[in-house]
Amino acid sequence: MKKNRSQVVYQESPLDQLREFAEAKVNRHKGDASSQAVDEHKDKLLDGLLSAGFDEKSCLSRYQSVLYRRPSPHKPSSYLQSRLRKYEDLHKQCGPYTESYNKTVEKLKSGHHLWTLYSGPTECNYIVWIASSGLGNKLLTVASAFLYALLTNRVLLVDRGKDMGDLFCEPFPEMSWLLPLDFPLNQFNKFERRSPESYGNMLKTNAISNTMNSLPPFLYLHLNHDYDDQDKRFLCDQDQSLLQKIPWLITRSNEYFVPSLFLISSFEQELSNLFPSKVTVFHHLGRYLFHPSNAVWGLITRYYEAYLANADERVGIQIRTFEHGTPPFQHVMDQIVACFLKEKILPEVDPSQEPILTASGNRKSKAVLITSLHSGYFDKIRNMYWEKPTVTGETIGVYQPSHEELQQTENNFHDRKAWAEMYLLSLTDVLITSSWSTFGYVAQSLAGLKPWILYRPENHTAPDPPCHRIVSMEPCFHAPPSLDCRAKTRIDNGALVPHIRHCEDVSVGLKLVEVGKF
């Protein structure tokens, strides 16, 4: 196991000791709460986003997050609050092993491949999310599927994969969001782009249409980046009436497809009511859905208390490179330093090494949290501020929780640390993130911050300028459709409405923006 770069929170130890340490009792934020309960003056329900009544011990993070995060200036609409409460009622009525759930599952078990329309609408309809890709992608796609569930009155059930149940608390009261292990279609590895059950392939073969008297009880929606024009019909307005007749939608995606939902005219009014500020979708849904499990919350709070809590300002730097070769790369290091110096996020150092004569009690401190698969960038930035004083007299502490060297998708303890680091980044005051990184998207949106994003280098050269402040905290939809659903011609979906534009880091991507600020 790699030694932790901060040298205190994790020591060189056997894996079983590290697991035991991760499960240890969560420390509380100094001065903000007693050991028994969250300070009653803190808004633990996040302006009505969360519902009361959960057992707080079963999920410490749900109501303790307010102790570590400054209040969000972005308030959920009263309509979003009411819809979330209605959804919770629906989930309780239709969740796993309820009478309604059992009825619809029986149709799948009995091998009924067609669903007779004349039998009337089903009481409960579902969208099942299949675990796919890395952790950042998972969070973005669960939020996308949940928004679709809200828009279409469906119940979201998530495939637990290797560790979804271990990383996150249950978000809905009294009923699990995890798909039961005995679900009859749980051989999800068979579902892919060429599957005959996919919506795209059924359209190609004319096996499904709105005029049919009988429809299948389930459809597979292939929404990965490699989907074709027929798969993309899921994001067409005229297909929604057909999809509404299908009790079970099974979806696999590695894309944040929320921006395209805003281009479906039948959803337009509902989305406007839910999100009067369109750039807050993941900020609100992410804080509602994704509460770290107690084991992960322990990692987060212990690290925060040890290294970040006492600083006057916290700066997060998330580094993800797509370069070939062995890191650290000097041009990437040059780019990172150029960004935080140019934007005055961190101070310059004095090459003369003369100490700044400032009373220690008056010195401002900044804690820099670096997340990267590699340790080299941390070493260089830490040494930069250790070996020379800053010209401002500020003290700079540089910390990196882990360096795994390689991304280990669905490795349980790797994902625990990845989720903890993502969340820690979201507790900072200023963010620098990397282009194309879903890890960075999640952190910025949970934080409610518009980070400086590092442009992707070309030809092993640091770009000039090195970074750019993005206009919206919303994640980017990397591979959106470019098809006019009715005319069946290519179209620039980034030029149709003022609140959807192309992303700063992915030129073909789409993101929600504040009107007039792009």
Side-chain angles (χ1 to χ4, degrees):
M1 177 174 176
K2 300 288 187 286
K3 189 174 182 180
N4 179 268
R5 305 304 296 174
S6 295
Q7 302 175 341
V8 176
V9 171
Y10 304 126
Q11 301 293 330
E12 196 80 44
S13 59
L15 181 59
D16 57 342
Q17 292 179 1
L18 186 54
R19 290 183 188 278
E20 183 178 345
F21 187 53
E23 300 285 358
K25 184 179 180 180
V26 175
N27 293 323
R28 306 305 300 266
H29 193 280
K30 296 182 180 69
D32 277 325
S34 71
S35 60
Q36 299 299 317
V38 173
D39 187 331
E40 63 182 9
H41 298 295
K42 297 285 186 180
D43 178 20
K44 65 181 183 179
L45 298 183
L46 307 182
D47 298 297
L49 192 66
L50 306 182
S51 59
F54 281 88
D55 174 15
E56 296 191 22
K57 291 182 180 179
S58 68
C59 182
L60 296 169
S61 67
R62 185 188 313 278
Y63 300 133
Q64 289 184 7
S65 66
V66 295
L67 305 181
Y68 297 85
R69 196 189 304 285
R70 62 190 179 283
S72 173
H74 310 285
K75 308 305 180 186
S77 67
S78 58
Y79 187 74
L80 175 60
Q81 295 170 15
S82 67
R83 284 292 290 113
L84 291 175
R85 303 293 86 80
K86 288 180 181 177
Y87 174 83
E88 291 164 0
D89 291 339
L90 178 67
H91 198 94
K92 184 161 56 174
Q93 174 191 341
C94 301
Y97 302 119
T98 59
E99 182 179 354
S100 298
Y101 170 88
N102 292 338
K103 283 181 181 178
T104 56
V105 164
E106 277 305 311
K107 296 289 185 180
L108 298 176
K109 285 183 177 179
S110 61
H112 290 185
H113 299 296
L114 294 179
W115 191 270
T116 304
L117 294 182
Y118 298 121
S119 64
T122 55
E123 187 177 9
C124 301
N125 291 330
Y126 301 84
I127 181 165
V128 176
W129 172 89
I130 302 175
S132 179
S133 298
L135 187 59
N137 298 77
K138 288 176 181 176
L139 271 67
L140 297 182
T141 55
V142 168
S144 301
F146 180 64
L147 180 56
Y148 186 76
L150 285 180
L151 295 171
T152 57
N153 208 39
R154 288 182 178 271
V155 171
L156 171 68
L157 297 176
V158 304
D159 166 30
R160 64 193 70 209
K162 297 290 184 182
D163 53 15
M164 286 295 288
D166 182 63
L167 297 178
F168 305 99
C169 301
E170 294 280 358
F172 312 128
E174 300 183 46
M175 184 65 65
S176 179
W177 72 335
L178 296 174
L179 186 72
L181 293 173
D182 60 0
F183 183 67
L185 302 178
N186 63 2
Q187 299 299 315
F188 293 136
N189 57 347
K190 74 174 185 177
F191 290 125
E192 46 91 28
R193 185 163 53 91
R194 292 172 292 273
S195 297
E197 302 95 342
S198 78
Y199 185 48
N201 281 321
M202 295 191 80
L203 290 173
K204 288 175 193 174
T205 60
N206 296 315
I208 190 171
S209 76
N210 229 336
T211 60
M212 291 181 172
N213 291 333
S214 295
L215 292 170
F218 80 94
L219 284 176
Y220 167 60
L221 305 173
H222 186 77
L223 303 177
N224 267 4
H225 65 279
D226 62 347
Y227 60 167
D228 63 21
D229 284 348
Q230 294 302 310
D231 296 316
K232 294 171 186 176
R233 289 270 299 273
F234 164 73
L235 295 169
C236 289
D237 190 38
Q238 59 267 38
D239 289 62
Q240 295 308 313
S241 60
L242 171 58
L243 292 168
Q244 271 297 94
K245 300 171 184 176
I246 309 296
W248 291 92
L249 298 179
I250 317 293
T251 180
R252 183 193 305 278
S253 178
N254 58 5
E255 292 286 336
Y256 182 68
F257 55 82
V258 163
S260 283
L261 297 180
F262 277 77
L263 294 173
I264 295 176
S265 58
S266 58
F267 295 158
E268 185 176 357
Q269 188 58 56
E270 182 74 359
L271 285 167
S272 181
N273 294 338
L274 289 168
F275 303 102
S277 174
K278 294 177 174 60
V279 298
T280 62
V281 177
F282 191 86
H283 179 62
H284 291 322
L285 296 187
R287 292 183 306 145
Y288 173 75
L289 290 170
F290 305 122
H291 307 287
S293 65
N294 285 353
V296 178
W297 191 237
L299 297 177
I300 293 166
T301 54
R302 287 191 294 274
Y303 200 91
Y304 186 93
E305 293 289 354
Y307 303 109
L308 306 179
N310 295 323
D312 295 310
E313 184 177 64
R314 287 157 285 277
V315 176
I317 303 178
Q318 182 261 332
I319 304 168
R320 174 69 189 275
T321 61
F322 298 89
E323 308 282 297
H324 296 291
T326 304
F329 303 102
Q330 188 58 47
H331 65 280
V332 174
M333 183 64 199
D334 293 342
Q335 179 184 6
I336 296 166
V337 174
C339 176
F340 65 62
L341 292 182
K342 177 178 181 292
E343 302 300 339
K344 303 188 184 307
I345 297 169
L346 294 175
E348 296 186 27
V349 295
D350 186 352
S352 71
Q353 301 193 35
E354 291 293 330
I356 304 297
L357 299 178
T358 305
S360 60
N362 296 327
R363 289 180 185 172
K364 290 187 176 181
S365 64
K366 291 186 177 183
V368 181
L369 176 73
I370 294 176
T371 65
S372 173
L373 289 172
H374 310 286
S375 62
Y377 304 106
F378 160 79
D379 288 332
K380 290 176 179 290
I381 296 172
R382 177 198 58 184
N383 290 344
M384 173 180 171
Y385 287 106
W386 180 33
E387 294 169 357
K388 296 181 177 66
T390 62
V391 297
T392 60
E394 293 172 289
T395 59
I396 309 298
V398 183
Y399 312 102
Q400 179 176 351
S402 70
H403 57 103
E404 300 291 289
E405 306 304 325
L406 296 172
Q407 183 172 339
Q408 302 171 46
T409 300
E410 296 201 343
N411 175 307
N412 182 277
F413 203 66
H414 172 87
D415 279 352
R416 278 195 192 184
K417 290 190 286 184
W419 178 213
E421 291 184 19
M422 223 180 281
Y423 203 95
L424 282 165
L425 280 175
S426 80
L427 301 180
T428 59
D429 305 302
V430 183
L431 263 177
I432 298 172
T433 61
S434 299
S435 294
W436 290 72
S437 175
T438 57
F439 195 106
Y441 296 160
V442 170
Q444 73 194 35
S445 295
L446 290 178
L449 294 175
K450 294 184 288 187
W452 278 267
I453 195 163
L454 298 164
Y455 290 113
R456 287 188 72 172
E458 294 183 5
N459 300 320
H460 300 284
T461 303
D464 185 19
C467 59
H468 176 73
R469 185 80 179 271
I470 66 172
V471 299
S472 162
M473 61 185 172
E474 269 290 293
C476 178
F477 181 5
H478 287 173
S482 57
L483 185 71
D484 184 314
C485 292
R486 295 190 181 278
K488 298 183 180 178
T489 57
R490 295 296 164 189
I491 192 172
D492 181 2
N493 281 330
L496 295 179
V497 293
H499 53 275
I500 296 178
R501 290 291 183 268
H502 292 294
C503 309
E504 297 93 339
D505 56 332
V506 183
S507 60
V508 298
L510 296 179
K511 70 183 298 184
L512 293 161
V513 301
E514 297 178 77
V515 175
K517 294 191 177 181
F518 197 87

